[in-house]
Amino acid sequence: MKLHLIILAVFTLSIPTVSASAKSLDFALGKALFDRIWTPAPASTDATDGLGPLFNARSCVSCHPAGGRGQFKESINGDISGLGLIVRIGNSIGEGDPTYGIQLQTHGVQGLRAEGIRTRKEDGSLSAENLAFGPADAGTKFGGRLATTLQGIGLLERVSETSIRAWADPDDTDNDGVSGRINSIMNSQGVKTIGRFGSKAGKASLYDQSAAALHTDLGLSNSVHREHFGDCTETQNKCRTAPNGASTRFENLEIGSEMMRLIVTYVSRLKPPKPTHNEVDGLTVFTETGCAACHRPSLPLSDGKTISAYTDLLLHDMGAELADGIGDGSASGSEWRTPPLWGLSKATRYLHDGRAKSVREAIEWHGGEAKRAKNTFTKLSEQQQKRLLNYLKGL
Ligand code: HEC
Ligand code: HEC
């Protein structure tokens, strides 16, 4: 009897310890995969090969340094270097280009040419030049995407769908000029659901978004995107027939399901950035200016907790100047998901394509549904504007 009790006690005590250490082991293994530098196939070890054949970077971390926002450099003539800013390709209903696919790959394995270079146009938008395989389709548009911070992103997955649906006001019934729509999409399991990740909320989950990143950014096949040649189209023969890194150890893929699970575990556990509010009245100015209509300061999670991410995860029409003409799910070319503003203190470039060099500039680009708030901001006294900007720089 006594022995039984002791065994029971040891057993009960050891459960939380074991699961806690298994959790931190998963996080560490996930981080190692996130940081891993992939190599082209064939390589001496099949655990790290399969990169490309066309790709944008060799690791997740090179675009999301320490899980944070992407970085890039821009020359005076608009040429972009650095990995954190990519060029998305598509038409108004989100179909990729018949030649270039859905993303401009700026690198290729040996023997394969990059698809082109990234360049900033005078109107602030991002485009592609020096296209390697001739002109793109007439309906194809190009647009920039700055790698977002992944810190705290797991919490956004836990904002309840009911709340997001309740915030949507597609017909602007309350007449405040702000509508907000859900991006209604199909997830990778074929279930109709709401999108919440990516600049147009085109992905339903961190799993789907990570699978797309592996496929499009790194050229690695996985359970969602099973082709080993990434974003190479039917016209890109040499790329489609290049060696791949698929292995029976990984279910004939380059990234097996256990690797996927670990990557998603790591990403979803990255802690949100810590705010350093230095301006106590900032939130009042923020709300009174109309910013909080989209950048919601407090979001309820399914478990009853709240987070301060400053988003509603909805799509808003931001007007012609920010539009890139590329659709995504049910999002139009001028609609963007309200980006979370937490982590702004670490940012140096802003907006979906990093066109704005300051928070003030980012606000000045707001149009469409956000025009009223932008106008209210420009009419604030200099002191009130400073108060608001200081508050944002402390997020
Ligand atoms: C070449 C650069 C690049 C690489 C490599 C890259 N990403 Fe990203 N990532 C981006 C960009 C750009 C975006 C923004 C996409 C958009 O705006 O639609 C993004 C967005 C994301 C998001 C959604 C963020 C949000 O705010 O909704 C997740 C999650 C993510 N990446 C995970 C990963 C993972 C996991 C890997 C590695 C498997 C990875 N990324 C590799 C550039 C990259
Ligand atoms: C109608 C909804 C809406 C309102 C109102 C609004 N925003 Fe935004 N905000 C957005 C969307 C959508 C974007 C993304 C646009 C893009 O990337 O092209 C954005 C982007 C931003 C960014 C850049 C974030 C980043 O990560 O680069 C900042 C900063 C910002 N808003 C601050 C404000 C402030 C301050 C106000 C009030 C003056 C405001 N916004 C009002 C929807 C809104």
Side-chain angles (χ1 to χ4, degrees):
M1 184 70 191
K2 245 185 184 166
L3 188 67
H4 272 120
L5 272 179
I6 291 166
I7 291 172
L8 190 69
V10 169
F11 186 65
T12 345
L13 281 175
S14 62
I15 288 173
T17 338
V18 168
S19 70
S21 67
K23 263 187 156 183
S24 62
L25 184 62
D26 277 1
F27 183 82
L29 291 171
K31 180 178 190 308
L33 288 167
F34 189 87
D35 294 353
R36 177 176 287 180
I37 296 170
W38 298 89
T39 52
S44 50
T45 157
D46 69 359
T48 62
D49 74 353
L51 179 74
L54 292 180
F55 57 96
N56 289 90
R58 290 169 200 272
S59 65
C60 305
V61 76
S62 51
C63 294
H64 300 283
R69 188 182 281 240
Q71 286 159 5
F72 67 93
K73 285 207 178 87
E74 199 170 314
S75 71
I76 307 166
N77 65 2
D79 288 350
I80 307 289
S81 58
L83 300 172
L85 180 62
I86 57 128
V87 174
R88 173 77 59 240
I89 308 176
N91 62 17
S92 59
I93 55 165
E95 292 164 343
D97 182 74
T99 308
Y100 296 97
I102 59 166
Q103 188 164 309
L104 185 86
Q105 275 83 30
T106 47
H107 295 83
V109 298
Q110 206 177 7
L112 283 184
R113 286 166 70 192
E115 291 183 316
I117 59 164
R118 299 158 290 169
T119 178
R120 178 84 61 199
K121 294 198 292 188
E122 265 177 27
D123 65 2
S125 68
L126 202 73
S127 196
E129 268 181 14
N130 295 6
L131 290 174
F133 308 101
D137 196 66
T140 295
K141 307 266 190 267
F142 298 89
R145 297 287 184 274
L146 180 62
T148 45
T149 183
L150 308 181
Q151 288 159 5
I153 201 156
L155 296 168
L156 296 181
E157 202 163 40
R158 288 164 46 198
V159 177
S160 84
E161 196 172 318
T162 326
S163 305
I164 303 173
R165 286 188 188 278
W167 299 327
D169 182 17
D171 304 318
D172 192 16
T173 45
D174 61 0
N175 248 319
D176 65 349
V178 176
S179 40
R181 287 201 315 128
I182 281 161
N183 194 353
S184 184
I185 54 157
M186 207 73 101
N187 71 11
S188 60
Q189 276 86 49
V191 178
K192 200 165 176 205
T193 179
I194 63 169
R196 50 179 95 195
F197 299 109
S199 54
K200 288 183 189 259
K203 293 284 180 285
S205 62
L206 291 176
Y207 183 86
D208 285 3
Q209 176 82 39
S210 302
L214 286 162
H215 173 254
T216 323
D217 300 332
L218 304 170
L220 295 164
S221 53
N222 55 73
S223 54
V224 178
H225 303 276
R226 307 188 70 89
E227 318 81 30
H228 308 309
F229 46 76
D231 188 34
C232 298
T233 59
E234 272 172 33
T235 63
Q236 293 172 316
N237 261 333
K238 206 172 163 191
C239 168
R240 286 212 165 195
T241 52
N244 64 64
S247 158
T248 47
R249 280 169 59 207
F250 308 123
E251 302 127 46
N252 291 320
L253 296 165
E254 292 168 330
I255 301 288
S257 47
E258 177 61 5
M259 283 161 129
M260 265 296 282
R261 185 186 72 80
L262 293 168
I263 293 172
V264 175
T265 301
Y266 169 69
V267 169
S268 63
R269 293 216 195 116
L270 288 168
K271 291 209 164 62
K274 277 213 174 74
T276 55
H277 297 300
N278 42 12
E279 187 55 66
V280 271
D281 302 328
L283 181 58
T284 315
V285 188
F286 183 79
T287 309
E288 284 173 358
T289 310
C291 314
C294 303
H295 299 282
R296 289 184 166 264
S298 173
L299 302 186
L301 302 185
S302 312
D303 60 8
K305 292 192 184 122
T306 56
I307 54 166
S308 301
Y310 303 87
T311 173
D312 54 5
L313 297 172
L314 293 173
L315 294 172
H316 296 277
D317 191 317
M318 295 296 283
E321 285 185 50
L322 285 175
D324 66 0
I326 304 175
D328 190 345
S330 60
S332 76
S334 56
E335 283 179 310
W336 302 96
R337 176 200 65 172
T338 310
L341 299 182
W342 59 12
L344 223 49
S345 61
K346 296 200 185 71
T348 51
R349 289 288 201 139
Y350 309 84
L351 296 175
H352 67 271
D353 54 8
R355 67 176 69 185
K357 295 192 186 76
S358 65
V359 172
R360 180 187 288 276
E361 211 187 304
I363 300 169
E364 285 164 355
W365 277 105
H366 280 54
E369 292 176 39
K371 198 164 185 173
R372 207 184 277 184
K374 192 260 302 281
N375 290 342
T376 311
F377 172 79
T378 45
K379 285 191 208 112
L380 292 177
S381 69
E382 206 175 304
Q383 195 197 8
Q384 292 288 78
Q385 287 189 352
K386 271 215 180 105
R387 190 162 277 173
L388 178 53
L389 294 175
N390 281 343
Y391 177 74
L392 294 175
K393 283 307 275 177
L395 296 183

